[in-house]
Amino acid sequence: MEKKNLDWGNLSFTYQKTDKRFVAEFKNGAWNEGTLTSDDTVKISECAGVLQYSQSCFEGLKAYTTEDGRTVTFRPDLNGERMENSCRRLEMPVFPKEKFIEAVLKTIKANEAWVPPYGTGATLYVRPYMFGSSAVIGVKPADEYQFRILVTPVGPYFKGGFHPLTVRISDLDRAAPHGTGNIKAGLNYAMSLYNIMEAHRKGFDENMYVDPASHIYIEETGGANILFVTKDNKLVTPKSESILPSITRRSLLTVAKDYLHLEVEERPVKKSELADFTECGLCGTAAVISPIGKVVDHDKEICFPSGMEDMGPVLRKLYDTLTGIQMGRVKAPAGWIYEIK
């Protein structure tokens, strides 16, 4: 497969139109078979459910060129399961996991020339999403929906190496108790936009949210789960019913236990414990792991011993191992890698 003539090593993390996208429609109580199309426009009613009541959800995953030249993607079955859960919570029709996986693989295959070559630091970002497309003026679910997948080549989230982040403890809540914090609803991200921009205006890279009920326990950021490392190299991650179940986090926990033989804990983490950890990082699809060097809690600064120059040693091993699995340098657990054929 001849690749597109792009400056792969200098791609930014932005959208670029590619050749094909997948579209399936839900009408009269059933999904059609769906199709690949070159048309990148979406035509819906001015009164569509997504526009009036934000009835939408999405996923994010990537496709890679491995060291031996194969095109692969990483654990799309988990993205399919998570989208099923999002749809149920939002009263949207479930797009079945098996069809989700098939559509993801088909869309990547149709855009294989856009999958960046191995060693460039770039990847193909895959964005499945669904929204209510029929007119809804009363507060109720739409009757018709579109499930779509777009892909776009993106550069590394960090250019020029890792630069540990400075984050603040947020006074605003990311999610409501018993709300939608554990699904990937578009409305969750719309709610976070003011707070992240306010953080940037005040010189912070991100917000670290605490639990909405007691404001005692660390949860996650606006778009990523959180990892901590203890003085005795134990990997700790917050546990809460309002945290989005990150596929990257779940994969890193397996890597920690089975590849690096680290002790792992998933438990509630109190804000008062922050000073006890030696490393901290955010984890998600975009950057895999983003190191945190400093947390600011109003007039108090918590500086992690890993410092502000680079990623700490434990998180670095986790990052190198997981990206090695994704790029074919490290043997993957069964079922993690889907090859595009």
Side-chain angles (χ1 to χ4, degrees), residues 36 81 115 264 267 309:
L36 291 167
E81 288 175 8
V115 181
V264 170
R267 62 170 176 81
E309 297 300 320

Side-chain angles (χ1 to χ4, degrees), residues 106-326:
K106 185 183 295 185
T107 308
I108 296 171
K109 179 67 176 177
N111 293 283
E112 198 164 5
W114 295 91
V115 181
Y118 175 80
T120 60
T123 53
L124 187 75
Y125 190 83
V126 183
R127 170 54 59 85
Y129 59 108
M130 189 191 300
F131 55 87
S133 55
S134 60
V136 181
I137 198 64
V139 181
K140 63 178 183 177
D143 296 318
E144 298 178 359
Y145 296 82
Q146 288 188 30
F147 169 79
R148 304 177 69 102
I149 303 174
L150 65 84
V151 300
T152 185
V154 295
Y157 203 74
F158 291 106
K159 284 190 177 293
F162 294 99
H163 302 288
L165 310 175
T166 297
V167 305
R168 66 173 182 174
I169 299 292
S170 176
D171 289 326
L172 299 182
D173 292 332
R174 175 191 153 268
H178 312 296
T180 59
N182 62 342
I183 64 169
K184 207 164 177 66
L187 58 91
N188 292 346
Y189 296 81
M191 288 170 58
S192 74
L193 293 177
Y194 166 79
N195 209 26
I196 186 60
M197 295 307 295
E198 188 67 5
H200 291 168
R201 286 189 282 267
K202 294 185 176 180
F204 300 98
D205 297 300
E206 250 292 7
N207 294 295
M208 183 176 283
Y209 291 96
V210 292
D211 74 288
S214 70
H215 289 189
I216 292 174
Y217 297 97
I218 298 295
E219 293 219 321
E220 62 173 300
T221 67
N225 283 188
I226 301 175
L227 302 169
F228 297 105
V229 179
T230 65
K231 293 180 176 68
D232 56 354
N233 288 347
K234 183 186 297 180
L235 187 67
V236 178
T237 186
K239 186 176 184 179
S240 165
E241 293 300 317
S242 54
I243 291 176
L244 184 73
S246 163
I247 292 158
T248 303
R249 175 183 59 81
R250 285 183 276 173
S251 302
L252 286 167
L253 295 183
T254 298
V255 166
K257 288 184 287 188
D258 296 348
Y259 285 72
L260 304 182
H261 309 295
L262 301 175
E263 188 176 347
V264 170
E265 281 189 352
E266 294 181 76
R267 62 170 176 81
V269 176
K270 289 185 177 181
K271 184 173 66 170
S272 59
E273 295 181 65
L274 282 174
D276 297 333
F277 297 113
T278 59
E279 298 178 41
C280 179
L282 311 182
C283 62
T285 300
V288 183
I289 298 177
S290 310
I292 294 175
K294 182 194 297 183
V295 177
V296 178
D297 185 5
H298 299 87
D299 59 350
K300 180 181 178 182
E301 290 189 354
I302 299 97
C303 298
F304 296 105
S306 53
M308 295 297 295
E309 297 300 320
D310 203 351
M311 187 180 291
V314 174
L315 293 184
R316 167 64 75 175
K317 287 179 183 176
L318 285 167
Y319 174 87
D320 288 345
T321 306
L322 185 59
T323 54
I325 289 170
Q326 292 170 334

